[in-house]
Amino acid sequence: MESAERMFALDVVRGLQAAGHEAVFAGGCVRDELLGLAPDDYDVATSALPEQVQALFPRSLAVGASFGVIDVIRKVSGRYLKVQVATFRNDGPYLDGRRPSGVVFSSAREDALRRDFTINGMFLDPVSERLLDFVGGREDLARGVLRAIGDPDQRFSEDRLRLLRAVRMAARFGMEICPQTAAAVARHASAITVVSAERVAEELRKMLKGARRSRAAALLAELDLLHRVLPEAGHLVRVPEELEKALGALGRLESSAGAMAALAVLLDGVDEAVAIPMSARLRFSNQERDLLRWLLRHSDFLSASEGMRPSRLYPVLAHAGAADLIAIGKARVPGAAGVAHAAQVLASLPREVLCPSPWVTGNDLIAMGMKPGPAIKEVLDSLLAAQMDGELADLDAAHALARSMVA
Ligand code: ATP
Ligand code: MG
Protein backbone atom coordinates (compact mmCIF):
# COMPACT_ATOMS: atom_id res chain seq x y z
CA MET A 1 0.00 0.00 0.00
CA GLU A 2 1.16 3.46 -0.82
CA SER A 3 1.75 5.78 2.13
CA ALA A 4 0.20 9.26 2.33
CA GLU A 5 3.74 10.67 2.17
CA ARG A 6 4.50 8.84 -1.07
CA MET A 7 1.21 9.80 -2.67
CA PHE A 8 1.85 13.43 -1.83
CA ALA A 9 5.42 13.30 -3.19
CA LEU A 10 4.12 11.61 -6.35
CA ASP A 11 1.57 14.42 -6.80
CA VAL A 12 4.33 17.00 -6.42
CA VAL A 13 6.40 15.23 -9.09
CA ARG A 14 3.36 15.06 -11.39
CA GLY A 15 2.64 18.76 -10.87
CA LEU A 16 6.22 19.72 -11.73
CA GLN A 17 6.33 17.43 -14.77
CA ALA A 18 2.96 18.74 -16.02
CA ALA A 19 4.44 22.25 -15.93
CA GLY A 20 7.25 21.07 -18.19
CA HIS A 21 9.98 20.50 -15.58
CA GLU A 22 12.07 17.47 -14.87
CA ALA A 23 11.17 16.06 -11.44
CA VAL A 24 12.23 12.87 -9.65
CA PHE A 25 12.47 11.25 -6.22
CA ALA A 26 16.03 11.71 -4.97
CA GLY A 27 18.58 10.20 -2.62
CA GLY A 28 17.61 8.34 0.56
CA CYS A 29 14.01 7.61 -0.44
CA VAL A 30 15.12 5.97 -3.71
CA ARG A 31 17.66 3.87 -1.83
CA ASP A 32 15.07 2.82 0.74
CA GLU A 33 12.48 1.87 -1.88
CA LEU A 34 15.02 -0.25 -3.77
CA LEU A 35 15.78 -1.99 -0.49
CA GLY A 36 12.08 -2.58 0.09
CA LEU A 37 12.06 -0.25 3.12
CA ALA A 38 9.54 2.49 3.81
CA PRO A 39 11.34 5.85 3.53
CA ASP A 40 11.07 8.24 6.49
CA ASP A 41 10.56 11.10 4.09
CA TYR A 42 10.54 11.81 0.38
CA ASP A 43 12.85 14.30 -1.30
CA VAL A 44 12.09 15.56 -4.78
CA ALA A 45 14.76 16.97 -7.08
CA THR A 46 13.75 19.11 -10.03
CA SER A 47 14.94 21.31 -12.86
CA ALA A 48 12.40 23.94 -11.75
CA LEU A 49 13.87 26.98 -10.01
CA PRO A 50 12.79 27.68 -6.41
CA GLU A 51 10.46 30.52 -7.45
CA GLN A 52 8.84 28.24 -10.04
CA VAL A 53 8.31 25.59 -7.37
CA GLN A 54 6.71 28.15 -5.07
CA ALA A 55 4.49 29.47 -7.86
CA LEU A 56 3.23 25.94 -8.57
CA PHE A 57 2.72 25.09 -4.88
CA PRO A 58 1.48 28.11 -2.93
CA ARG A 59 1.52 26.12 0.32
CA SER A 60 5.27 26.03 0.58
CA LEU A 61 8.10 27.42 2.64
CA ALA A 62 11.42 28.65 1.30
CA VAL A 63 13.40 26.94 4.08
CA GLY A 64 16.70 26.78 2.28
CA ALA A 65 16.08 29.14 -0.60
CA SER A 66 19.78 29.90 -1.05
CA PHE A 67 20.35 26.15 -1.60
CA GLY A 68 17.26 25.92 -3.79
CA VAL A 69 15.25 23.97 -1.22
CA ILE A 70 11.51 24.49 -0.84
CA ASP A 71 9.25 22.62 1.58
CA VAL A 72 5.89 21.89 -0.01
CA ILE A 73 3.17 21.36 2.58
CA ARG A 74 -0.14 19.52 2.51
CA LYS A 75 -2.63 18.87 5.27
CA VAL A 76 -3.98 15.33 5.17
CA SER A 77 -6.60 14.32 7.76
CA GLY A 78 -5.34 16.79 10.32
CA ARG A 79 -1.68 15.98 9.74
CA TYR A 80 0.84 18.19 7.95
CA LEU A 81 2.86 16.35 5.34
CA LYS A 82 6.00 17.86 3.91
CA VAL A 83 7.97 17.11 0.79
CA GLN A 84 11.31 18.75 0.28
CA VAL A 85 11.74 19.97 -3.29
CA ALA A 86 15.28 20.92 -4.28
CA THR A 87 16.46 22.36 -7.56
CA PHE A 88 19.20 20.29 -9.25
CA ARG A 89 22.44 21.87 -8.12
CA ASN A 90 26.19 21.83 -7.91
CA ASP A 91 27.74 22.71 -4.62
CA GLY A 92 30.23 25.57 -4.85
CA PRO A 93 33.65 25.30 -3.18
CA TYR A 94 33.64 24.03 0.40
CA LEU A 95 35.52 26.43 2.64
CA ASP A 96 35.04 25.28 6.21
CA GLY A 97 34.99 21.50 5.92
CA ARG A 98 31.25 21.44 6.35
CA ARG A 99 29.22 23.64 4.00
CA PRO A 100 29.52 24.82 0.42
CA SER A 101 30.11 28.54 0.00
CA GLY A 102 27.18 28.66 -2.41
CA VAL A 103 25.35 26.60 -5.00
CA VAL A 104 24.87 26.74 -8.75
CA PHE A 105 21.69 25.32 -10.24
CA SER A 106 22.50 22.55 -12.69
CA SER A 107 21.38 19.21 -14.13
CA ALA A 108 20.23 15.92 -12.61
CA ARG A 109 23.60 14.38 -13.40
CA GLU A 110 25.54 17.10 -11.61
CA ASP A 111 23.15 16.91 -8.69
CA ALA A 112 23.88 13.18 -8.41
CA LEU A 113 27.62 13.79 -8.42
CA ARG A 114 27.50 16.23 -5.47
CA ARG A 115 25.86 13.61 -3.23
CA ASP A 116 27.88 11.60 -0.71
CA PHE A 117 27.62 7.86 -1.45
CA THR A 118 26.56 5.98 -4.55
CA ILE A 119 23.63 4.31 -2.78
CA ASN A 120 22.41 7.83 -1.84
CA GLY A 121 22.98 9.27 -5.31
CA MET A 122 20.12 7.80 -7.35
CA PHE A 123 16.93 9.31 -8.72
CA LEU A 124 13.65 7.62 -9.52
CA ASP A 125 10.99 9.00 -11.81
CA PRO A 126 7.94 7.64 -9.98
CA VAL A 127 5.66 8.32 -12.96
CA SER A 128 7.58 6.32 -15.55
CA GLU A 129 9.18 4.18 -12.79
CA ARG A 130 12.54 4.79 -14.44
CA LEU A 131 15.68 4.78 -12.29
CA LEU A 132 18.28 7.47 -13.05
CA ASP A 133 21.56 6.12 -11.82
CA PHE A 134 24.58 8.23 -12.83
CA VAL A 135 26.83 6.84 -10.12
CA GLY A 136 26.47 3.05 -10.11
CA GLY A 137 24.35 3.12 -6.99
CA ARG A 138 22.12 0.23 -7.95
CA GLU A 139 24.99 -2.19 -8.32
CA ASP A 140 26.61 -1.08 -5.07
CA LEU A 141 23.29 -1.44 -3.32
CA ALA A 142 22.84 -4.95 -4.69
CA ARG A 143 26.38 -5.91 -3.66
CA GLY A 144 26.14 -4.24 -0.27
CA VAL A 145 28.97 -1.79 -0.85
CA LEU A 146 29.15 1.73 0.52
CA ARG A 147 31.26 3.82 -1.84
CA ALA A 148 31.93 7.56 -1.98
CA ILE A 149 30.88 9.22 -5.22
CA GLY A 150 34.00 10.43 -7.03
CA ASP A 151 37.36 10.84 -5.33
CA PRO A 152 36.90 9.86 -1.67
CA ASP A 153 39.72 12.09 -0.41
CA GLN A 154 38.17 15.09 -2.06
CA ARG A 155 34.67 14.26 -0.87
CA PHE A 156 35.77 13.80 2.75
CA SER A 157 37.84 17.01 2.60
CA GLU A 158 34.82 18.97 1.39
CA ASP A 159 32.53 17.88 4.17
CA ARG A 160 33.84 16.16 7.30
CA LEU A 161 30.38 15.11 8.42
CA ARG A 162 30.51 12.50 5.65
CA LEU A 163 33.07 10.59 7.75
CA LEU A 164 30.37 9.79 10.28
CA ARG A 165 27.66 9.35 7.66
CA ALA A 166 29.82 6.64 6.07
CA VAL A 167 29.90 4.71 9.34
CA ARG A 168 26.21 5.22 10.02
CA MET A 169 25.08 4.21 6.53
CA ALA A 170 27.34 1.14 6.37
CA ALA A 171 26.19 -0.04 9.79
CA ARG A 172 22.54 0.68 9.19
CA PHE A 173 22.36 -1.31 5.96
CA GLY A 174 24.88 -3.96 6.96
CA MET A 175 27.21 -2.94 4.14
CA GLU A 176 30.94 -3.17 3.61
CA ILE A 177 32.70 0.13 3.05
CA CYS A 178 34.72 -0.22 -0.15
CA PRO A 179 38.47 -0.26 0.60
CA GLN A 180 39.34 3.10 -1.01
CA THR A 181 36.48 4.83 0.75
CA ALA A 182 37.33 3.20 4.10
CA ALA A 183 41.00 4.13 3.77
CA ALA A 184 40.03 7.71 3.03
CA VAL A 185 37.78 7.85 6.11
CA ALA A 186 40.67 6.70 8.27
CA ARG A 187 43.06 9.18 6.63
CA HIS A 188 40.72 12.09 7.28
CA ALA A 189 39.52 10.96 10.71
CA SER A 190 41.44 13.59 12.65
CA ALA A 191 39.53 16.34 10.84
CA ILE A 192 36.24 15.24 12.40
CA THR A 193 36.88 17.92 15.03
CA VAL A 194 35.73 20.67 12.64
CA VAL A 195 32.19 19.27 12.70
CA SER A 196 29.93 20.97 15.24
CA ALA A 197 29.22 19.08 18.45
CA GLU A 198 25.49 19.09 17.69
CA ARG A 199 25.98 17.33 14.36
CA VAL A 200 28.40 14.80 15.83
CA ALA A 201 25.94 14.09 18.63
CA GLU A 202 23.09 13.68 16.17
CA GLU A 203 25.08 11.14 14.13
CA LEU A 204 26.03 9.29 17.33
CA ARG A 205 22.42 9.17 18.47
CA LYS A 206 21.35 7.73 15.15
CA MET A 207 24.12 5.15 14.89
CA LEU A 208 23.81 4.05 18.53
CA LYS A 209 20.10 3.37 18.22
CA GLY A 210 18.79 -0.02 17.20
CA ALA A 211 20.18 -3.38 16.33
CA ARG A 212 23.19 -2.29 14.22
CA ARG A 213 24.97 -0.26 16.84
CA SER A 214 27.63 -2.81 17.58
CA ARG A 215 28.73 -2.69 13.94
CA ALA A 216 28.67 1.11 14.02
CA ALA A 217 30.92 1.18 17.09
CA ALA A 218 33.24 -1.41 15.54
CA LEU A 219 33.55 0.73 12.40
CA LEU A 220 34.17 3.88 14.42
CA ALA A 221 37.03 2.10 16.16
CA GLU A 222 38.38 0.53 12.99
CA LEU A 223 38.36 3.82 11.09
CA ASP A 224 40.12 5.73 13.85
CA LEU A 225 37.06 7.82 14.73
CA LEU A 226 35.94 6.35 18.06
CA HIS A 227 38.41 8.05 20.38
CA ARG A 228 38.03 11.31 18.45
CA VAL A 229 34.28 11.57 18.86
CA LEU A 230 34.23 9.81 22.24
CA PRO A 231 37.56 10.37 23.98
CA GLU A 232 35.84 9.19 27.18
CA ALA A 233 35.82 5.69 25.65
CA GLY A 234 39.50 5.91 24.74
CA HIS A 235 40.26 2.79 26.80
CA LEU A 236 38.40 0.76 24.18
CA VAL A 237 40.88 1.81 21.54
CA ARG A 238 43.92 1.16 23.75
CA VAL A 239 42.83 -2.25 25.02
CA PRO A 240 41.54 -4.59 22.28
CA GLU A 241 39.97 -6.99 24.80
CA GLU A 242 37.95 -4.13 26.26
CA LEU A 243 36.71 -3.17 22.80
CA GLU A 244 35.74 -6.74 22.05
CA LYS A 245 33.86 -6.99 25.33
CA ALA A 246 32.02 -3.70 24.73
CA LEU A 247 31.09 -4.66 21.16
CA GLY A 248 29.78 -8.00 22.34
CA ALA A 249 27.63 -6.30 24.97
CA LEU A 250 26.39 -3.73 22.44
CA GLY A 251 25.42 -6.53 20.10
CA ARG A 252 23.36 -8.16 22.85
CA LEU A 253 21.73 -4.90 23.96
CA GLU A 254 18.06 -5.25 23.10
CA SER A 255 17.08 -2.84 20.37
CA SER A 256 14.46 -1.07 22.52
CA ALA A 257 17.27 0.30 24.70
CA GLY A 258 18.14 3.85 23.65
CA ALA A 259 21.31 5.60 22.53
CA MET A 260 22.22 6.64 26.10
CA ALA A 261 22.09 2.99 27.13
CA ALA A 262 24.47 2.16 24.29
CA LEU A 263 26.80 4.95 25.40
CA ALA A 264 26.68 3.61 28.95
CA VAL A 265 27.77 0.22 27.59
CA LEU A 266 30.72 1.84 25.79
CA LEU A 267 31.59 3.72 28.99
CA ASP A 268 31.36 0.64 31.21
CA GLY A 269 33.73 1.06 34.14
CA VAL A 270 34.13 4.80 33.56
CA ASP A 271 33.22 7.08 36.47
CA GLU A 272 29.75 8.59 36.30
CA ALA A 273 31.33 12.04 36.61
CA VAL A 274 32.34 11.94 32.91
CA ALA A 275 28.68 12.26 31.98
CA ILE A 276 28.76 15.95 32.90
CA PRO A 277 31.61 17.31 30.74
CA MET A 278 30.84 14.82 27.99
CA SER A 279 27.19 15.88 27.78
CA ALA A 280 28.23 19.53 27.81
CA ARG A 281 30.70 18.93 24.98
CA LEU A 282 28.18 17.07 22.84
CA ARG A 283 25.35 19.47 23.77
CA PHE A 284 23.20 16.67 25.07
CA SER A 285 19.85 17.66 26.54
CA ASN A 286 19.62 17.77 30.33
CA GLN A 287 17.43 14.70 30.15
CA GLU A 288 20.05 12.76 28.18
CA ARG A 289 22.80 13.90 30.54
CA ASP A 290 20.86 12.90 33.64
CA LEU A 291 19.95 9.52 32.18
CA LEU A 292 23.54 8.78 31.14
CA ARG A 293 24.85 9.75 34.56
CA TRP A 294 22.20 7.70 36.33
CA LEU A 295 22.95 4.65 34.17
CA LEU A 296 26.69 4.92 34.87
CA ARG A 297 26.10 5.47 38.59
CA HIS A 298 23.94 2.34 38.82
CA SER A 299 25.97 0.17 36.46
CA ASP A 300 26.66 -2.43 39.17
CA PHE A 301 23.60 -1.83 41.28
CA LEU A 302 21.39 -4.64 40.01
CA SER A 303 23.95 -7.39 40.49
CA ALA A 304 23.09 -7.37 44.21
CA SER A 305 19.35 -6.91 43.76
CA GLU A 306 18.35 -10.28 45.21
CA GLY A 307 19.09 -9.55 48.86
CA MET A 308 18.15 -5.90 48.63
CA ARG A 309 15.55 -4.17 50.77
CA PRO A 310 12.60 -2.84 48.76
CA SER A 311 13.38 0.67 49.96
CA ARG A 312 16.70 0.45 48.11
CA LEU A 313 15.65 -1.52 45.06
CA TYR A 314 12.23 -0.09 44.25
CA PRO A 315 13.24 3.56 43.75
CA VAL A 316 15.76 2.42 41.14
CA LEU A 317 13.18 0.24 39.40
CA ALA A 318 10.69 3.13 39.49
CA HIS A 319 13.19 5.40 37.70
CA ALA A 320 12.58 6.22 34.03
CA GLY A 321 15.91 4.58 33.15
CA ALA A 322 15.13 1.23 34.79
CA ALA A 323 14.35 -0.66 31.56
CA ASP A 324 17.60 0.61 30.01
CA LEU A 325 19.54 -0.35 33.14
CA ILE A 326 18.15 -3.89 33.02
CA ALA A 327 18.88 -4.16 29.31
CA ILE A 328 22.47 -3.06 29.94
CA GLY A 329 22.86 -5.59 32.75
CA LYS A 330 21.57 -8.42 30.57
CA ALA A 331 23.83 -7.38 27.71
CA ARG A 332 26.96 -7.15 29.86
CA VAL A 333 26.58 -10.49 31.62
CA PRO A 334 24.01 -12.75 29.97
CA GLY A 335 22.12 -14.71 32.59
CA ALA A 336 23.26 -12.58 35.54
CA ALA A 337 21.01 -13.56 38.44
CA GLY A 338 20.69 -10.12 40.02
CA VAL A 339 19.60 -8.51 36.78
CA ALA A 340 17.11 -11.26 36.04
CA HIS A 341 15.64 -10.85 39.50
CA ALA A 342 15.31 -7.10 39.07
CA ALA A 343 13.64 -7.60 35.70
CA GLN A 344 11.17 -9.98 37.24
CA VAL A 345 10.39 -7.58 40.10
CA LEU A 346 9.86 -4.72 37.64
CA ALA A 347 7.57 -6.83 35.48
CA SER A 348 5.49 -8.20 38.34
CA LEU A 349 4.97 -5.22 40.65
CA PRO A 350 2.56 -2.40 39.89
CA ARG A 351 3.80 1.15 39.90
CA GLU A 352 2.07 2.00 43.20
CA VAL A 353 4.13 -0.68 44.94
CA LEU A 354 7.43 0.43 43.42
CA CYS A 355 6.64 4.06 44.09
CA PRO A 356 3.98 4.19 46.83
CA SER A 357 2.30 7.34 48.10
CA PRO A 358 3.75 8.02 51.55
CA TRP A 359 1.47 7.37 54.51
CA VAL A 360 2.99 10.35 56.30
CA THR A 361 3.53 13.74 54.62
CA GLY A 362 5.48 16.86 55.48
CA ASN A 363 2.25 18.58 56.50
CA ASP A 364 1.50 15.74 58.90
CA LEU A 365 4.90 16.24 60.54
CA ILE A 366 4.38 19.99 60.84
CA ALA A 367 0.95 19.39 62.38
CA MET A 368 2.74 17.12 64.87
CA GLY A 369 4.94 20.06 65.82
CA MET A 370 8.02 19.73 63.62
CA LYS A 371 9.59 22.95 62.35
CA PRO A 372 9.90 23.22 58.55
CA GLY A 373 13.49 22.44 57.53
CA PRO A 374 15.84 19.76 56.22
CA ALA A 375 15.17 17.42 59.15
CA ILE A 376 11.65 16.90 57.81
CA LYS A 377 12.98 15.25 54.69
CA GLU A 378 15.13 12.86 56.70
CA VAL A 379 12.19 11.77 58.82
CA LEU A 380 9.96 11.39 55.75
CA ASP A 381 12.60 9.30 53.99
CA SER A 382 12.97 6.91 56.88
CA LEU A 383 9.20 6.62 57.31
CA LEU A 384 8.76 5.84 53.61
CA ALA A 385 11.56 3.28 53.79
CA ALA A 386 9.87 1.58 56.75
CA GLN A 387 6.57 1.61 54.85
CA MET A 388 8.14 0.04 51.73
CA ASP A 389 10.06 -2.55 53.71
CA GLY A 390 6.84 -3.77 55.37
CA GLU A 391 7.85 -2.61 58.85
CA LEU A 392 4.59 -0.71 59.27
CA ALA A 393 1.25 -2.50 59.35
CA ASP A 394 -0.83 0.43 58.18
CA LEU A 395 -1.30 4.19 58.09
CA ASP A 396 -2.03 4.35 61.85
CA ALA A 397 1.22 2.58 62.61
CA ALA A 398 3.04 5.03 60.34
CA HIS A 399 1.55 8.00 62.17
CA ALA A 400 2.38 6.47 65.54
CA LEU A 401 6.00 6.01 64.48
CA ALA A 402 6.08 9.55 63.11
CA ARG A 403 4.84 10.96 66.42
CA SER A 404 7.51 9.03 68.30
CA MET A 405 10.20 10.40 65.96
CA VAL A 406 8.96 13.99 66.29
CA ALA A 407 8.67 13.90 70.05
P1 ATP B 1 18.14 9.20 6.40
O1 ATP B 1 17.21 8.08 6.25
O2 ATP B 1 19.08 9.06 7.54
O3 ATP B 1 17.47 10.54 6.35
P2 ATP B 1 19.16 10.02 3.89
O4 ATP B 1 20.06 9.38 2.89
O5 ATP B 1 17.81 10.43 3.46
O6 ATP B 1 19.10 9.07 5.14
P3 ATP B 1 19.55 12.79 4.53
O7 ATP B 1 20.47 13.39 5.54
O8 ATP B 1 18.09 12.94 4.72
O9 ATP B 1 19.96 11.26 4.45
O10 ATP B 1 19.98 13.36 3.12
C1 ATP B 1 19.23 13.16 1.94
C2 ATP B 1 20.19 12.99 0.76
O11 ATP B 1 21.00 14.16 0.61
C3 ATP B 1 21.17 11.84 0.91
O12 ATP B 1 20.59 10.62 0.49
C4 ATP B 1 22.31 12.29 0.03
O13 ATP B 1 22.02 12.07 -1.33
C5 ATP B 1 22.33 13.79 0.25
N1 ATP B 1 23.22 14.19 1.36
C6 ATP B 1 22.88 14.34 2.65
N2 ATP B 1 23.92 14.76 3.39
C7 ATP B 1 24.96 14.87 2.53
C8 ATP B 1 26.31 15.28 2.69
N3 ATP B 1 26.80 15.62 3.87
N4 ATP B 1 27.08 15.29 1.56
C9 ATP B 1 26.58 14.96 0.36
N5 ATP B 1 25.32 14.56 0.17
C10 ATP B 1 24.51 14.53 1.23
MG1 MG C 1 16.41 11.57 4.67
Side-chain angles (χ1 to χ4, degrees):
M1 218 212 32
E2 205 165 33
S3 68
E5 284 82 4
R6 191 181 202 278
M7 281 194 284
F8 177 29
L10 181 58
D11 283 348
V12 170
V13 165
R14 283 210 178 97
L16 287 161
Q17 291 185 355
H21 305 290
E22 259 181 276
V24 285
F25 289 174
C29 62
V30 178
R31 174 201 66 213
D32 290 348
E33 287 200 348
L34 288 174
L35 287 170
L37 304 171
D40 278 341
D41 43 38
Y42 282 84
D43 293 321
V44 168
T46 180
S47 59
L49 296 172
E51 52 272 26
Q52 295 174 312
V53 176
Q54 289 217 275
L56 278 171
F57 304 100
R59 298 188 80 165
S60 58
L61 294 167
V63 278
S66 61
F67 291 91
V69 181
I70 305 288
D71 278 355
V72 179
I73 314 285
R74 176 189 283 178
K75 198 171 176 181
V76 177
S77 39
R79 212 156 57 93
Y80 283 99
L81 301 182
K82 182 187 88 179
V83 169
Q84 235 173 40
V85 181
T87 306
F88 293 139
R89 68 177 197 251
N90 262 342
D91 291 332
Y94 281 76
L95 302 179
D96 60 355
R98 213 11 230 123
R99 295 196 162 278
S101 48
V103 305
V104 181
F105 296 134
S106 65
S107 64
R109 192 188 140 76
E110 303 226 46
D111 190 59
L113 296 180
R114 74 166 177 88
R115 292 171 186 269
D116 49 5
F117 304 107
T118 62
I119 61 162
N120 290 348
M122 291 177 277
F123 301 120
L124 176 78
D125 180 336
V127 180
S128 68
E129 299 193 340
R130 203 164 62 90
L131 187 74
L132 265 77
D133 182 7
F134 300 103
V135 295
R138 172 176 243 170
E139 196 187 333
D140 283 342
L141 199 60
R143 290 172 34 197
V145 175
L146 190 86
R147 185 193 314 273
I149 294 174
D151 171 31
D153 280 304
Q154 186 198 331
R155 305 314 308 285
F156 291 121
S157 311
E158 287 170 354
D159 178 358
R160 309 306 195 170
L161 184 66
R162 292 174 189 153
L163 298 163
L164 291 177
R165 285 178 61 88
V167 169
R168 173 160 69 86
M169 297 280 167
R172 172 177 173 197
F173 300 114
M175 291 178 162
E176 293 301 320
I177 305 181
C178 93
Q180 293 82 346
T181 298
V185 173
R187 263 197 303 280
H188 291 268
S190 67
I192 194 61
T193 46
V194 309
V195 178
S196 75
E198 287 86 351
R199 295 308 299 264
V200 170
E202 197 46 36
E203 288 296 320
L204 286 176
R205 272 186 208 100
K206 286 181 178 171
M207 66 175 87
L208 291 177
K209 234 173 9 200
R212 308 289 191 145
R213 51 192 155 205
S214 176
R215 178 88 205 297
L219 280 172
L220 283 179
E222 196 179 311
L223 299 175
D224 205 26
L225 285 163
L226 184 61
H227 67 288
R228 301 181 192 280
V229 291
L230 288 176
E232 296 81 1
H235 60 289
L236 300 182
V237 176
R238 289 188 298 274
V239 189
E241 297 76 32
E242 291 283 313
L243 179 63
E244 207 170 310
K245 211 172 77 183
L247 294 180
L250 264 192
R252 288 186 296 268
L253 188 62
E254 54 195 50
S255 50
S256 58
M260 292 302 126
L263 271 182
V265 168
L266 291 174
L267 296 172
D268 187 21
V270 176
D271 191 280
E272 64 165 278
V274 301
I276 307 288
M278 179 176 153
S279 300
R281 177 170 54 81
L282 290 167
R283 314 275 192 278
F284 283 170
S285 68
N286 291 348
Q287 198 184 350
E288 288 174 319
R289 177 201 62 202
D290 293 345
L291 175 59
L292 180 61
R293 181 153 75 138
W294 186 87
L295 290 172
L296 292 175
R297 176 185 306 162
H298 293 91
S299 67
D300 280 326
F301 185 87
L302 297 181
S303 58
S305 79
E306 281 166 302
M308 230 177 243
R309 285 167 167 273
S311 58
R312 249 193 107 203
L313 180 59
Y314 293 0
V316 169
L317 295 182
H319 190 277
D324 276 349
L325 190 64
I326 288 171
I328 294 168
K330 287 180 178 166
R332 281 170 62 201
V333 185
V339 177
H341 175 254
Q344 194 250 323
V345 172
L346 179 60
S348 59
L349 292 184
R351 177 110 207 129
E352 59 270 23
V353 173
L354 292 177
C355 188
S357 332
W359 280 334
V360 180
T361 67
N363 283 341
D364 294 334
L365 294 183
I366 289 167
M368 290 171 196
M370 253 191 114
K371 298 245 171 338
I376 286 200
K377 185 174 176 328
E378 275 172 42
V379 174
L380 287 176
D381 284 350
S382 60
L383 286 168
L384 182 60
Q387 178 186 334
M388 291 175 85
D389 293 339
E391 290 163 9
L392 297 169
D394 54 21
L395 193 136
D396 288 341
H399 280 250
L401 177 60
R403 272 190 297 275
S404 76
M405 290 172 83
V406 169

